Amino acid sequence: MMAKLIGKRITRNEDPRLLTGQALFVDDVELPGMLHAAFLRSEYAHAILKGVDVSAALERPGVVAAFTAEDMGDDWSPGPPLVIPPPTIEDVEFYTRTQVPLVKDKVRHAGEPLAIVIAENRYIAEDALDDIVVDLEPLDVVTNIERALDPDSPLVHDDLESNLAAHLVQEKGDYAAIREGADKVIKRRIVIERGIAGAIENRGIVASWDNKQQQLTVWDTTQSPIPIRNGLASMFGLSEYQVRVIAPFVGGAFGPKIMMFYPEEVLLTWSTLKMGKPIKWIEDRRENFYATTQERGQVHNVELALTSDGRILGLRDDFLHDTGAYDPYGLTIPLNTQCHALGPYDIPNFSSDLKVVFTNKTLTTPVRGAGRPQGVYVIERMLDIAARELGIDRTEIRKRNYLPKDVFPYDNIIIDQAFESFVIDSGDYLPAMEKALKLIDYEKFTKEEQPKLREGGRRLGIGVVSFIETTGVGPYEGARVTIESSGKVNTATGVGTQGQGHFTSFAQIVAERLGVDVRDVHIVTGDTAQFHWGTGTFASRGAVVAANAVNAAALIVRGKVLKLAGDLLETPEEELELEDGVVRVVDDPTRFISLGDLAQRSNPLRGAVEPGTEPGLEATAYFGPKYGATAFGTHAMIVEVDPETMMVEIKRYIVVEDCGTVLNPLIVEGQLHGGVALGIGNSFYEKLVFDDNGQLLNASFADYLIPTAAEIPTIEIAHQVTPSPLNPLGSKGVGEAGAIPVPALFAQAVENALDVDGLEILESPLSPLRLFELFHGEEKDA
Amino acid sequence: MKPAPFEYIAPTTVEEALGHLTEYGYDAKVLAGGQSLIPMMNFRLAQPAVLVDLNKLAELSFIRSEKDGELRIGAMTRHFQVERDDLVAEHAPLIHEAMPKIATPQIRSRGTFGGSIAHADPAAELTTICVALDGRFRCQSVRGERWVPAKDFFLGMFTSVLEPDEMLVEIAIPPMAPRTGWALEEEARRVHDFALVGVGAVVTLDEQGCCERARLVFLSVGDGPVEAVKAAEMLIGKEGTPEIIRAAAEAVTEELDPSADIHASVKYRLHLARVLARRALEKAFARAAIPGTQAA
């Protein structure tokens, strides 16, 4: 059967609502008698809390309540770890220390909440924060991850011997042995700084306990409403059926909204249960810089061993990863870094010693890319350097080391973020690279244009970088597809939506299977009252795991439709087709029955339903992949650097993406546009700057620079399709792909543009200031 | 990020507004376009007790020229009105050219010409340009009014000669002499950001093509608009040859004392100042020499 809808460039079902302001966001929720919360946050990054006195705040007119950690009594406890440390590997050290709802004894990062004030409106609540008297005794601070393990470093957690949060060694083959006989060993130190996710909508929560209904409803900007529901029920001794969590439209998430439990989620729920009044908290931008999780922040000491003709013998990557003040998210990020340092290449020997360290900074959890950009940066930069030192073209050295297309599934031996052996399901890397080279005209640019421009004093550079992206991890997602008596179809799934276009891509699958208009498929996401099995939207898995569950449920419903219609039309099922909302006889289109009629007949008001059958045209199905599908691609760019001012202009940007079966190219390309934009931020604009006291120096969008439309070039996209064998649709994730290779690509292109002997870029992000320093051979301005 | 409590007054005449300023003095702050003040209030960096909103003062929104060709701009004229005004393009092409460099279209639709000047942000383009163009500012209070030359108006970071009971009501830009060229060069991290360094250059040539008047005024390198007087003097009586321009540009750093921030070190700022001064002067000299770009 030819696909009519899957893979088609269909405009999004959700856009009319979004573009006309009709979509519900958390801040749109208004309930009678609703109160508003504000948090008092620590200005110190590290301090002993000696006392919090809220009595003056309580006297302010309009203030209803104010609570400290002491007020929580036995309900106060550190959060449960979200991701457990890996059980499948020997000799892993992991020290679990999780975030607290309100600080009780010691502040461990600036912005940790000390008290909550609940008032008639947010203005009064913020006024009252100034009334609270806090006694904090500041301590020495550790922010630098390379100094965190010094014996004399201040300790983030006093009960630990050091700031070591985790230690893990991963090995493949025997790197030490192969290094001995290598023609070439290249050693470098690579530094990757920390940034924010920067969703346009900050976090927000409305929590409402209805005492008469004994029902808790929480609207939350979370990426995973079902685990939040289950966790809140467990935390507060409620049945899971007494808790409804709704993640409505969410204005971007990019990872930090998967984190749970944030102190605010606990506090708002605890407060509404205590007070019996609905309470709203909307995070403001300044809070977001301190209270929402962040990412990147690694220092790598890397060695690449090669033959003289540029074949990789082995890679050693020993690195430090900054987890911030707590480590609820386990090792997901650095495990991704290790896997992606192997990239699309045949690297027979690999050794990686990972140390995760605590610092007095906001905690890190995955941000779009989630450790992958760091791994890609490491291997791609090392290949660039190897190519230069061995006198091989940058693109050629990559071609020589790609895993061949007949090697899949390929087992990389080391474990991945799911603690399983890192197996790449499928791949075909060379054509993606060649397509990118053709699109950017690599030969002509490097041989003709670039030399000519250089003669005229202009510094243009080209970059070409390959990458892989592990996507679509388990455990599972589910969906329920229902044909209603109107003939329209309702589909509910547990994943939340933060802009991924689920209302359209999932609808396309259902419409394809049931022969209805894509506009007649109503998708519900992120409401636990509608569907309560699943984990959430993360790790580029919606189009893989949830979409295949939708597909499975739709196929079961299709089977029910055909059976019932076959009986009614007295025609064998194989002679029927589903088209235009009806089931008809292929050879006699005058004989048909509409899906709406079928839905009514399957749910009669009178008469007998046969034993062993179910009413309705409905099915629930689940999908859990054996392991994650691995997408891949090549990005290429041309930049011009003004050698006087060090301002960089991106002249061209090419993406060749292979995410398996494309459900909707419009949506995939939108994901790539956004991902590349975030990657450009990571490459040249976005860096959190902390001083020695752990104070963030750029906690606003005036000083923390996210690229705007004006900084993002036209992105030219080409697709390649290598379907994943791991799921019926053949899809792979694409949510993070755009962001992943950009910092490595940008560094390569800028280095090529500057064309200065000995100038190597081994850090990310860059900036005009940093390029000025590198260009003039200066040390970093302290 | 909600402001501290404040009292809000929205007068409908300048006279009324001045009365409120006299009454509340240091406790009051005037609200023009609000593009700087409102964020500062939301961060609680500014906590005025009284906000005197000038947005109903239609009489302060105008652009006109005097008989002698002097351009007059009302303090409450929005940036986008200045940006699109033909009179401004003709009489003060440097202002016309600078407008798109100010922040974003969203901010320019709300922000005001006078508000930007009165705010006295050292990173502002308009303060710098008004100094380079020998502009004057009309400041009014119930005590009367005075005209202050732009170069004397700015006292320091976010500080001007305006008294608490006084308000900037009008800006005057003198007509440009024949054979005058101009340029504004700046570099910012993103197009709409405050410039890391910027410089406005204005040069007037005599009939022999030698420079008879030169102004080089910088932004983002000090507490306010910073004029490189000595560097500009080096150009007087000279033709705008590459050597002369380069020498003057190199000399500007003697007169600048920028500070470092997370986006630029002192060294980088000084380097940018030299580069941008050279580029601005090259452009200004070229324009001064081209017939048709001169103000008649």
Side-chain angles (χ1 to χ4, degrees), chain B residues 181-194:
Chain B
W182 71 90
L184 175 71
E185 289 288 317
E186 62 175 42
E187 289 294 354
R189 290 294 321 267
R190 298 170 298 182
V191 287
H192 65 277
D193 279 320
F194 287 119

Side-chain angles (χ1 to χ4, degrees), chain B residues 165-262:
Chain B
D165 66 342
E166 211 174 19
M167 207 165 82
L168 172 64
V169 292
E170 185 175 1
I171 294 90
I173 304 293
M176 236 166 34
R179 295 176 301 280
T180 296
W182 71 90
L184 175 71
E185 289 288 317
E186 62 175 42
E187 289 294 354
R189 290 294 321 267
R190 298 170 298 182
V191 287
H192 65 277
D193 279 320
F194 287 119
L196 299 173
V197 174
V199 58
V202 181
V203 297
T204 303
L205 306 183
D206 63 18
E207 286 180 355
Q208 282 71 48
C210 291
C211 180
E212 65 178 17
R213 178 186 174 280
R215 289 277 190 283
L216 265 179
V217 191
F218 288 85
L219 54 108
S220 291
V221 295
D223 286 347
V226 179
E227 201 173 349
V229 180
K230 288 178 190 158
E233 270 172 12
M234 290 168 66
L235 301 164
I236 303 299
K238 307 270 173 49
E239 282 180 53
T241 63
E243 295 72 29
I244 295 289
I245 288 174
R246 188 170 286 273
E250 287 297 313
V252 299
T253 51
E254 299 293 316
E255 297 173 77
L256 307 181
D257 186 18
S259 52
D261 59 34
I262 62 170

Side-chain angles (χ1 to χ4, degrees), chain B:
Chain B
M1 294 181 73
K2 304 288 182 209
F6 58 88
E7 196 183 328
Y8 172 84
I9 306 170
T12 53
T13 65
V14 170
E15 200 184 343
E16 200 189 330
L18 294 174
H20 291 306
L21 293 184
T22 304
E23 184 183 350
Y24 295 107
Y26 283 105
D27 290 336
K29 197 88 181 133
V30 299
L31 174 68
Q35 299 304 297
S36 300
L37 180 59
I38 297 296
M40 286 169 84
M41 288 173 66
N42 286 343
F43 274 108
R44 299 198 175 208
L45 295 171
Q47 300 194 12
V50 180
L51 206 55
V52 181
D53 183 350
L54 307 185
N55 283 282
K56 290 185 177 166
L57 305 186
E59 59 192 293
L60 292 188
S61 179
F62 60 83
I63 298 169
R64 57 186 165 79
S65 69
E66 297 291 281
K67 281 203 185 87
D68 62 358
E70 188 179 56
L71 184 71
R72 297 289 183 93
I73 300 175
M76 285 299 290
T77 312
R78 311 277 168 194
H79 293 316
F80 84 92
Q81 293 173 295
V82 178
E83 185 177 354
R84 294 175 194 181
D85 190 86
D86 292 339
L87 214 53
V88 174
E90 184 191 340
H91 288 256
L94 178 53
I95 294 176
H96 178 73
E97 190 168 285
M99 294 314 294
K101 298 184 179 179
I102 299 170
T104 60
Q106 293 92 320
I107 288 175
R108 292 198 297 276
S109 77
R110 192 78 198 145
T112 64
F113 200 85
S116 176
I117 289 165
H119 184 54
D121 189 324
E125 286 88 357
L126 292 180
T127 59
T128 298
I129 287 172
C130 286
V131 173
L133 292 174
D134 291 339
R136 300 179 300 143
F137 304 143
R138 186 158 68 93
C139 308
Q140 210 176 337
S141 70
V142 292
R143 296 172 287 118
E145 68 165 46
R146 56 178 176 151
W147 280 96
V148 181
K151 68 179 172 51
D152 300 330
F153 182 80
F154 303 101
L155 296 180
M157 201 167 284
F158 306 120
T159 317
S160 71
V161 300
L162 284 173
E163 297 292 338
D165 66 342
E166 211 174 19
M167 207 165 82
L168 172 64
V169 292
E170 185 175 1
I171 294 90
I173 304 293
M176 236 166 34
R179 295 176 301 280
T180 296
W182 71 90
L184 175 71
E185 289 288 317
E186 62 175 42
E187 289 294 354
R189 290 294 321 267
R190 298 170 298 182
V191 287
H192 65 277
D193 279 320
F194 287 119
L196 299 173
V197 174
V199 58
V202 181
V203 297
T204 303
L205 306 183
D206 63 18
E207 286 180 355
Q208 282 71 48
C210 291
C211 180
E212 65 178 17
R213 178 186 174 280
R215 289 277 190 283
L216 265 179
V217 191
F218 288 85
L219 54 108
S220 291
V221 295
D223 286 347
V226 179
E227 201 173 349
V229 180
K230 288 178 190 158
E233 270 172 12
M234 290 168 66
L235 301 164
I236 303 299
K238 307 270 173 49
E239 282 180 53
T241 63
E243 295 72 29
I244 295 289
I245 288 174
R246 188 170 286 273
E250 287 297 313
V252 299
T253 51
E254 299 293 316
E255 297 173 77
L256 307 181
D257 186 18
S259 52
D261 59 34
I262 62 170
H263 301 302
S265 61
V266 169
K267 211 166 174 182
Y268 180 47
R269 277 217 159 82
L270 290 174
H271 170 83
L272 283 178
R274 288 190 291 268
V275 170
L276 297 176
R278 194 197 74 230
R279 291 180 182 180
L281 285 172
E282 282 168 357
K283 210 181 256 185
F285 269 103
R287 280 172 165 166
I290 297 169
T293 58
Q294 305 162 6

Side-chain angles (χ1 to χ4, degrees), chain A residues 194 293-296 321-324 329 333 362-366:
Chain A
R194 179 194 271 238
T293 58
Q294 306 168 346
E295 208 221 291
R296 315 292 192 251
H321 171 75
D322 181 4
T323 188
Y329 220 97
I333 299 168
T362 299
L363 34 168
T364 59
T365 67

